[in-house]
Amino acid sequence: MSENELNFDDKLMSMLHIIANEGINNAARGFSGLLGEKLTVNNPGVRMVELKEIPHILGGPENEAIGVYLRAEGDISGQIMLVIPYDKALELVDLLIGNPPNTTQELGSFERSALAEVGNQTGTFFINSLSSLTGLDVRPSPPAVMVDMVGAILDIIVATTGGVSEHVLLMEANFELGNRKVETNFWVIPDEKTLNAIRFGAS
Amino acid sequence: MTKILIVDDAEFLRVRISKMLSGDGFDVIQAENGARAVEMYKENSPDLVLMDITMPEMDGLTALKHIRGYDASAKVIMLTALGQESVVLEAIKSGARDFIVKPFEHERVINAIRKLVA
Amino acid sequence: MRDPISVGLGERVVSRDPEDVLVAYGLGSCLGIGMIDPVSRVCGLLHAVLPAKNNGTDPFNPKFVDSGINGLIEEMIKNGAMRNRLVIRMAGGANMLTAPGLSKTFDIGARNIESAHDVFQSLRMTLKSEDVGGTRGRTVRLYVGIGRMTVRVIGEKEVDL
């Protein structure tokens, strides 16, 4: 890598860190608001991950999980994904609906809509922050809820970014809810053209 | 009874808001996207609409414009997570009477409704 | 018992070891393509991600369906298989995003399936069986010792492909 490329990537990474920090904290606020409880934000950060590694980050590609996926579109574009292990998702639904623990045993359309709304508010709050930081226009798509193996859920990310690169740039955090320990992984993956816009616009 | 149309693609939220409003004495009908909202507005003539923005088929800003085009006196309150300044401005320019950012407080919503349908 | 051999994203594995089990876990839009030569007992599994390699330099790149199939055949033959004996089965290519507003644009699964069909047709090779499309993830296993391929979907039993 040439000196120049390194500099661009340093600048890019530092901008991404700023965006990630603000965005993730705002996203956590959106999520918290639905629950009326404060969330802990664990391990927020930005990193490059090899495509092949993606399905293994969340404990294994065959584990059952819920993925809530939405896209950010506009002057800035990218993907947003919340992933929750299946059992934790059931607990989260209980919390959202206001049920005692272990009430929810299955994820019907009503329960999925609650998880979709978590994705919507969390993702939209991230996007609001992005728009406010950059002054650019960015809007969310409606969310899609997937209940399946982690590998299958994450294929959309791999397939969308995989044609262009062997690596995926991830902005990530883990949201944890105090006493009921519902862990939700939150990922933001900027599109290559957005990274380029930031990279070449940053000077 | 005052009739309110709730528009949101998340069934979970429609139910939550519906319970809240029925409890306060309002008559509530629901639509799951902007296109259905426009149809239901025409069919039911609600006194007020609570409108989400991010929805499939037709988003809330577009539905707002259609409803206001159909009925210039339509009272629409936006209820959305998409709280960006540009979005608020667009909604107001298109005739929204209020703009509430999710997550919402019960009080805020009721007060906004009461201001419009006294 | 030996651990199964995981065939990850954009990988292919060929084996002649009867104790091997090749597995492609959690195939969503990805395609798992298996080839078995029942005579030489050579087996191979490809985990392809995208339909076509376009301008890439590697004609056997396992990330793409088209180059991946060619690469799998080539490696099978290098290991003693014969092209005209190959039994081919495939699974995957689901459309995981069925929410309105998103699903139409992103049906990579369907494009992967189409690419595979095109390649097999142009190579004049037939697919013995396939379990493709739909909206659910699949795990594919290839038991090298007996040349058996299976598919498993969450909540259901492993079945023969």
Side-chain angles (χ1 to χ4, degrees):
Chain A
M1 230 195 293
S2 74
E3 264 291 305
N4 267 344
E5 282 177 62
L6 272 175
N7 283 337
F8 274 134
D9 281 315
D10 276 351
K11 268 205 171 98
L12 175 62
M13 285 309 264
S14 73
M15 286 202 66
L16 291 173
H17 272 107
I18 293 170
I19 289 169
N21 225 19
E22 289 254 349
I24 287 167
N25 285 323
N26 208 31
R29 252 173 260 133
F31 193 162
S32 285
L34 261 176
L35 294 161
E37 264 185 62
K38 270 216 92 184
L39 285 177
T40 312
V41 180
N42 293 325
N43 305 317
V46 184
R47 60 175 168 139
M48 292 287 274
V49 178
E50 251 199 273
L51 268 183
K52 292 186 203 293
E53 273 314 298
I54 297 271
H56 297 287
I57 299 180
L58 299 167
E62 221 182 6
N63 293 336
E64 191 171 13
I66 280 64
V68 185
Y69 177 86
L70 54 128
R71 281 199 53 86
E73 300 280 13
D75 295 332
I76 294 185
S77 66
Q79 309 175 73
I80 296 178
M81 176 80 89
L82 275 82
V83 190
I84 315 171
Y86 188 81
D87 293 341
K88 298 293 182 191
L90 296 176
E91 288 184 46
L92 178 56
V93 170
D94 282 337
L95 279 172
L96 289 164
I97 298 179
N99 285 333
N102 299 314
T103 308
T104 303
Q105 296 294 317
E106 268 186 345
L107 295 174
S109 76
F110 181 76
E111 291 77 14
R112 288 176 194 220
S113 77
L115 295 168
E117 190 60 16
V118 171
N120 179 46
Q121 291 195 24
T122 308
T124 303
F125 267 53
F126 184 95
I127 287 172
N128 289 344
S129 178
L130 192 54
S131 177
S132 151
L133 267 172
T134 60
L136 295 171
D137 188 61
V138 204
R139 309 265 171 115
S141 74
V145 178
M146 292 171 274
V147 182
D148 215 306
M149 302 181 208
V150 166
I153 288 171
L154 299 179
D155 264 2
I156 179 64
I157 290 175
V158 173
T160 306
T161 50
V164 193
S165 171
E166 288 311 306
H167 289 91
V168 177
L169 189 131
L170 278 190
M171 295 185 196
E172 60 179 344
N174 183 275
F175 297 142
E176 192 185 308
L177 264 165
N179 53 2
R180 275 158 83 166
K181 297 246 162 223
V182 173
E183 287 191 7
T184 302
N185 295 286
F186 177 73
W187 286 1
V188 175
I189 301 108
D191 284 348
E192 189 68 23
K193 64 180 172 131
T194 289
L195 289 177
N196 284 331
I198 301 175
R199 196 184 263 133
F200 297 117
S203 47
Chain B
M1 256 206 309
T2 306
K3 191 186 297 181
I4 300 184
L5 169 60
I6 298 171
V7 188
D8 198 299
D9 54 335
E11 189 189 341
F12 160 76
L13 268 195
R14 293 197 304 274
V15 167
R16 184 186 264 195
I17 299 172
S18 186
K19 282 191 184 155
M20 181 181 93
L21 296 180
S22 307
D24 285 304
F26 297 101
D27 176 22
V28 181
I29 53 177
Q30 303 177 20
E32 72 270 21
N33 61 55
R36 266 308 275 153
V38 177
E39 274 170 25
M40 290 194 69
Y41 191 91
K42 293 176 178 171
E43 284 163 22
N44 297 278
S45 305
D47 299 294
L48 186 145
V49 182
L50 280 177
M51 183 89 82
D52 184 17
I53 293 183
T54 306
M55 294 183 290
E57 300 289 321
M58 183 191 285
D59 69 78
L61 288 170
T62 310
L64 165 66
K65 290 166 189 165
H66 282 296
I67 288 173
R68 296 276 309 172
Y70 168 77
D71 173 5
S73 67
K75 294 176 177 148
V76 182
I77 296 175
M78 309 310 287
L79 180 57
T80 174
L82 192 54
Q84 298 169 27
E85 199 180 296
S86 60
V87 178
V88 177
L89 289 173
E90 188 181 339
I92 290 174
K93 268 200 289 193
S94 306
R97 300 289 294 271
D98 204 342
F99 195 108
I100 300 174
V101 181
K102 293 179 192 172
F104 57 86
E105 319 240 309
H106 185 152
E107 282 291 296
R108 172 85 174 92
V109 176
I110 297 297
N111 289 340
I113 293 172
R114 294 227 164 94
K115 262 200 288 190
L116 295 175
V117 285
Chain C
M1 217 175 58
R2 198 183 293 179
D3 279 338
I5 298 175
S6 170
V7 183
L9 291 170
E11 288 182 349
R12 71 165 178 266
V13 176
V14 171
S15 169
R16 278 188 306 189
D17 188 333
E19 288 191 36
D20 278 347
V21 180
L22 312 180
V23 193
Y25 294 103
L27 295 164
S29 53
C30 289
L31 265 186
I33 299 172
M35 296 190 188
I36 298 145
D37 179 344
V39 175
S40 65
R41 308 300 189 115
V42 180
C43 295
L45 185 59
L46 166 71
H47 185 155
V49 181
L50 290 164
K53 78 165 175 66
N54 295 324
N55 300 314
T57 47
D58 178 3
F60 297 137
N61 191 336
K63 190 160 84 168
F64 304 96
V65 172
D66 55 1
S67 47
I69 289 172
N70 285 306
L72 182 58
I73 293 169
E74 212 247 357
E75 194 173 342
M76 296 277 293
I77 290 170
K78 266 201 203 145
N79 276 272
M82 286 202 61
R83 231 185 96 129
N84 58 0
R85 297 196 298 239
L86 292 177
V87 174
I88 308 173
R89 305 181 192 277
M90 78 178 189
N95 182 9
M96 298 302 301
L97 290 179
T98 49
L102 280 175
S103 55
K104 300 290 159 44
T105 352
F106 291 101
D107 201 352
I108 292 161
R111 286 167 42 215
N112 281 339
I113 298 165
E114 197 185 336
S115 177
H117 288 161
D118 285 345
V119 174
F120 289 129
Q121 185 166 55
S122 69
L123 291 174
R124 296 183 201 286
M125 297 175 84
T126 30
L127 261 173
K128 185 70 183 247
S129 63
E130 63 177 20
D131 178 1
V132 295
T135 58
R136 315 233 10 224
R138 300 169 172 89
T139 287
V140 162
R141 283 178 173 78
L142 208 178
Y143 297 84
V144 178
I146 50 174
R148 177 187 177 222
M149 251 178 98
T150 65
V151 178
R152 198 181 85 85
V153 162
I154 282 215
E156 294 175 24
K157 287 167 63 163
E158 189 179 348
V159 294
D160 282 335
L161 174 53

